[in-house]
Amino acid sequence: MSTRQQYKPFDLEGHVVIVTGGAAGIGRVYCERLAQVGALVVVADLDANAAAHCAQEIVDAGGHALGLGCDVSSSQAVTRMVAAAHTRFGRIDGLVNNAALMSTLPRGPWNEIDESDWDRVMQVNTKGLYLCCKEVVPHMVRQGRGKIVNISSNRVFDGTPNRLHYSTSKAGVIGFTRSLAREVGGDQICVNAITPGFTASDTQLASSDVAHIRKMEEINQRKAIPRTQTPEDLVGTLLFLLSPASDYISGQTINVDGGFVMH
Ligand SMILES: NC(=O)c1ccc[n+]([C@@H]2O[C@H](COP(=O)([O-])OP(=O)(O)OC[C@H]3O[C@@H](n4cnc5c(N)ncnc54)[C@H](O)[C@@H]3O)[C@@H](O)[C@H]2O)c1
C-alpha cells in the first residue's frame, strides 16, 4: 500500500447536514465549522432572519449553506424545512438535533415551574427530535446511510438542580437516542448523543447572571481540564460522529465537559 494513497475517514466534503437551532449559540459554531470542512449546511432555526443571516455569512465566506425558519415542535414546519433542504441539495447525510429551549428558561426551584413551560420544553426539546428524525430518516434510508447526532446535556449525569423540565427533556434525548439507534441501525443510520457541560455560548452567557458565572468558574476547578468550556470544544466530537470514522458507533452518548462528569 502506498502511503500516498488518500485515507480520509473524517471527510465531510459534500455531506449535506441539517443543524437545528443553528442560527445562534453553539449551533451557529457547528454550522460555521461544518461549512469550513466542506459540508453543505442547512441552518434551521425558529428565528428565520438569524438563520438566513448565518447562512449568508457562510456563503460570503465561500461555503455552502441554506438558512430556513423552522419551529422543530411543529410537524408542518419540519416537513417544509426538510423538503426545502432536500430540494436545494438533493440529499441529506446528517442531522444535528441541537435546537432546544435552554438559555431563555429562567433558573428556579422545581416546584415553581409553570405547567405550560414544562409542556413547551418537552415539545421543543424532545418532540422536536422525533419530528425531525421522522422527516429525515426516509431520505437516509433511500441513500443507504445517515448520521443523527442529538444534543443532550451533562446535567443528566450530574443531576444539576434548577430548570428541572430542561434536565428531564435532556434525559429523554438519551433514551430516544438509544432506542432509535436500534430501530434504524439496519439501514446503516447511526444515532448518537453528545452531552456538553456548561458551555460559554454567547446566548448562555447573556442569560447567566454574575453569581451563576462565578459558580461555573468554581466548577471549573473540579474538572480534569480546569477551564471554561467553549462551543469550539464540542466541534471535534460532532464532526467525528457525522463522519465515516464513526460508522460502527451507534446508540452512544459522548460526554464532552472537560472531565467534570466521568461517564
Ligand atoms: N450552552 C450550554 O451550557 C449547554 C450545555 C449543555 C447542553 N446544551 C445544549 O446545546 C444546544 C445549544 O445550546 P445553546 O447554548 O446554543 O442554546 P441556545 O438556547 O442559545 O440556542 C438554541 C437555538 O435553538 C433555537 N430554537 C429555540 N427553539 C427552537 C424551536 N422551537 N425550533 C427551532 N429552533 C429553536 C434558538 O433560536 C437558538 O438559535 C441545546 O440543545 C442545549 O440544550 C447547551
Side-chain angles (χ1 to χ4, degrees):
M1 187 198 73
S2 158
T3 50
R4 283 158 62 169
Q5 249 179 342
Q6 289 210 322
Y7 176 61
K8 292 185 165 182
F10 301 99
D11 194 8
L12 289 170
E13 184 83 41
H15 286 223
V16 179
V17 181
I18 296 173
V19 182
T20 67
I26 303 172
R28 189 185 168 98
V29 176
Y30 291 157
C31 291
E32 291 167 352
R33 292 300 185 210
L34 277 162
Q36 282 181 303
V37 299
L40 316 181
V41 185
V42 180
V43 185
D45 202 288
L46 186 62
D47 186 337
N49 288 335
H53 186 70
C54 175
Q56 191 57 50
E57 283 200 352
I58 289 172
V59 170
D60 290 347
H64 299 276
L66 173 67
L68 294 170
C70 175
D71 177 352
V72 295
S73 69
S74 154
S75 56
Q76 293 97 323
V78 171
T79 301
R80 280 197 301 274
M81 180 272 286
V82 173
H86 191 262
T87 300
R88 170 67 181 273
F89 291 125
R91 53 185 294 120
I92 298 168
D93 301 288
L95 167 66
V96 184
N97 280 311
N98 168 78
L101 286 176
M102 192 269 307
S103 61
T104 52
L105 300 174
R107 295 185 176 88
W110 68 278
N111 52 1
E112 290 179 11
I113 295 171
D114 277 350
E115 191 178 335
S116 59
D117 286 349
W118 182 282
D119 290 345
R120 184 66 189 146
V121 166
M122 295 307 155
Q123 278 172 6
V124 176
N125 296 12
T126 53
K127 190 177 89 170
L129 271 72
Y130 170 64
L131 296 178
C132 290
C133 289
K134 208 169 163 197
E135 285 299 320
V136 162
V137 163
H139 293 289
M140 294 178 167
V141 169
R142 273 195 297 280
Q143 292 161 198
R145 57 178 287 118
K147 299 278 186 168
I148 297 170
V149 182
N150 299 320
I151 307 300
S152 175
S153 167
N154 78 339
R155 284 180 157 250
V156 176
F157 308 125
D158 180 46
T160 312
N162 298 319
R163 294 178 170 162
L164 184 70
H165 44 355
Y166 173 74
S167 298
T168 307
S169 71
K170 291 294 175 179
V173 171
I174 294 177
F176 176 93
T177 298
R178 292 178 175 179
S179 294
L180 183 64
R182 290 198 194 279
E183 297 218 26
V184 300
D187 291 305
Q188 313 307 316
I189 299 168
C190 301
V191 189
N192 292 291
I194 297 175
T195 49
F198 179 91
T199 304
S201 61
D202 47 0
T203 45
Q204 173 74 294
L205 288 178
S207 70
S208 301
D209 58 20
V210 176
H212 191 75
I213 303 267
R214 203 164 290 143
K215 202 166 138 208
M216 289 304 128
E217 282 163 359
E218 283 165 29
I219 282 177
N220 282 346
Q221 303 316 311
R222 290 164 44 207
K223 296 176 181 175
I225 302 167
R227 64 163 173 80
T228 299
Q229 180 163 357
T230 70
E232 295 290 344
D233 292 318
L234 294 155
V235 171
T237 306
L238 179 77
L239 299 184
F240 168 65
L241 289 176
L242 289 170
S243 77
S246 58
D247 275 357
Y248 200 52
I249 297 177
S250 199
Q252 305 306 310
T253 298
I254 301 186
N255 187 48
V256 183
D257 70 353
F260 176 58
V261 171
M262 302 258 174
H263 165 67

